[in-house]
Amino acid sequence: MKTYRKTISRILWQILRTPIAPAVKFLFTLTHTKTVSERRKTAKKINISKETNQKARELDRDGYTIISELIDTDLLDNLFSESKLKEKARIKLFQKQDYSHKGFWIRLLDDETTNGAFDSENIFVKFATQKKVIEILSLHFKKTPQLMEVLLSYSRPTDNDLSYSQLWHRDFDDNNTVKLFVYLSDVNEVDDGPFTFLPKPNSKKIGFQLRSHLSDEKFFSKTSKDKIIQMCAPKLTVFMCETSKCYHMGSRVMPNSSRLMYTATFINPPHLFHREKCRFSTTKNLSTIEKQTLGLEA
Ligand SMILES: O=C(O)CCC(=O)C(=O)O
């Protein structure tokens, strides 16, 4: 059964890379009209401020927006201090996690889950479900978003060739995926391995490519270097990127540097890939918007 699901997921992932993805998503959405209409109703009730509206418009138009000034400062402080504690444990994790796969970074939140699920009150979840973030995404998706994953990654230099997310790619968690990023270490220089991307209008011009990951050589034969944005910024910078539409790469950390970054992945529900278990759980009486965002609605 697991192998069957894996094969289906793999086929769907390939389909999502092609120009027919929006049609597939549209048809799939028709089979989930009840949940979709509930989510639309919830989104419509949100009182949107002018700044939120502007950020959502930037995200729609350019595929990214910087939202540090809208973020709840208590949550940000808390995220920072918890992340620093996690960072301390990284050496042991480098020994434990599979080196051959993504030797250039490690996940620091593996011990935060119970039976594979994060609690709704966990700071790494609370940060993602804060009011302004959900408002922007509800405007962007025209319904409440679905949080798929939270990740704290520690990137470091290696001698290996560039691989995986260090190469140019788009994300295919769904055909409309938005990631929320927070730098938890200064990423002021290119040597610190900034998240680097090609904004949406120019990414659209590149369109579908047979290979999912492209080298610099291949990528810059399709666009020019002056069109890309290297997100060099100090720690506590918060930004969003529509990673399903914008080609991107990062974590190219040079010797004597490292990078600590938080990522929350959201999709425009319903999610095309079936997951046996929800990634989140709660013991609290959550609001409708929180339940929908965590995929915990009845
Ligand atoms: O490490 C980075 O900056 C790139 C991250 C990335 O490719 C992703 O989250 O999809």
Side-chain angles (χ1 to χ4, degrees):
M1 196 63 174
K2 252 191 176 163
T3 332
Y4 165 76
R5 282 222 178 91
K6 257 194 174 163
T7 315
I8 298 281
S9 287
R10 192 73 206 158
I11 294 171
L12 266 173
W13 188 85
Q14 290 294 354
I15 290 174
L16 282 181
R17 296 187 49 231
T18 72
I20 67 161
V24 173
K25 179 72 187 214
F26 175 74
L27 291 175
F28 186 72
T29 303
L30 290 182
T31 66
H32 287 72
T33 42
K34 188 163 177 280
T35 46
V36 167
S37 105
E38 294 296 331
R39 282 175 176 275
R40 282 196 184 126
K41 262 193 241 156
T42 313
K44 267 195 189 146
K45 283 188 208 148
I46 300 174
N47 234 333
I48 305 284
S49 66
K50 216 169 126 196
E51 319 109 280
T52 312
N53 198 21
Q54 191 200 332
K55 297 292 174 188
R57 272 196 278 135
E58 277 172 19
L59 184 63
D60 288 343
R61 186 189 61 218
D62 307 326
Y64 77 102
T65 179
I66 299 171
I67 57 166
S68 314
E69 72 275 23
L70 297 188
I71 289 300
D72 181 312
T73 46
D74 287 342
L75 286 175
L76 189 58
D77 286 349
N78 206 345
L79 182 86
F80 181 67
S81 44
E82 285 298 316
S83 300
K84 283 287 165 194
L85 289 178
K86 296 276 164 207
E87 189 189 16
K88 281 198 180 142
R90 71 180 189 275
I91 307 291
K92 265 194 241 145
L93 289 170
F94 263 123
Q95 285 153 2
K96 234 163 80 185
Q97 285 179 20
D98 182 5
Y99 251 131
S100 56
H101 183 57
K102 282 188 178 175
F104 58 89
W105 65 257
I106 43 166
R107 304 180 306 266
L108 301 181
L109 296 185
D110 287 3
D111 61 354
E112 287 288 297
T113 57
T114 310
N115 296 327
F118 287 91
D119 189 84
S120 62
E121 303 313 293
N122 181 301
I123 179 61
F124 296 98
V125 177
K126 274 266 165 239
F127 190 86
T129 55
Q130 65 181 279
K131 199 166 169 281
K132 294 289 178 190
V133 168
I134 301 310
E135 283 181 16
I136 295 170
L137 291 170
S138 295
L139 267 182
H140 177 70
F141 292 139
K142 301 189 177 57
K143 61 171 94 76
T144 50
Q146 184 160 346
L147 179 64
M148 299 308 298
E149 190 58 272
V150 289
L151 176 80
L152 179 66
S153 58
Y154 176 86
S155 304
R156 58 163 202 175
T158 65
D159 293 333
N160 303 341
D161 289 344
L162 297 177
S163 62
Y164 298 99
S165 51
Q166 291 178 310
L167 298 170
W168 293 96
H169 65 285
R170 289 180 293 162
D171 291 338
F172 300 101
D173 304 73
D174 202 272
N175 76 327
N176 198 342
T177 301
V178 174
K179 283 183 173 169
L180 167 73
F181 296 102
V182 185
Y183 282 156
L184 296 154
S185 59
D186 287 328
V187 188
N188 291 326
E189 314 284 335
V190 175
D191 283 9
D192 302 324
F195 177 80
T196 302
F197 65 99
L198 181 66
K200 188 157 140 182
N202 284 312
S203 278
K204 268 191 182 161
K205 288 184 192 156
I206 295 185
F208 170 66
Q209 297 297 311
L210 271 180
R211 295 196 77 87
S212 62
H213 289 72
L214 306 176
S215 65
D216 282 2
E217 196 190 1
K218 185 93 187 151
F219 188 70
F220 291 118
S221 70
K222 298 181 184 302
T223 191
S224 65
K225 284 195 176 153
D226 60 351
K227 302 262 186 325
I228 63 164
I229 296 182
Q230 289 174 312
M231 190 58 87
C232 287
K235 63 172 171 270
L236 305 184
T237 299
V238 186
F239 56 99
M240 283 178 173
C241 180
E242 197 179 341
T243 53
S244 50
K245 302 284 187 315
C246 299
Y247 277 92
H248 61 282
M249 61 81 175
S251 282
R252 296 186 184 180
V253 177
M254 291 294 138
N256 301 321
S257 191
S258 63
R259 193 193 72 184
L260 187 63
M261 185 168 83
Y262 166 81
T263 307
T265 305
F266 294 89
I267 60 114
N268 182 5
H271 190 219
L272 271 172
F273 296 95
H274 174 76
R275 240 191 203 160
E276 271 169 87
K277 267 193 196 162
C278 181
R279 260 330 240 143
F280 307 100
S281 61
T282 194
T283 50
K284 295 264 174 212
N285 201 0
L286 299 180
S287 65
T288 304
I289 198 161
E290 285 167 327
K291 278 193 227 158
Q292 291 180 347
T293 301
L294 296 178
L296 294 171
E297 68 269 50

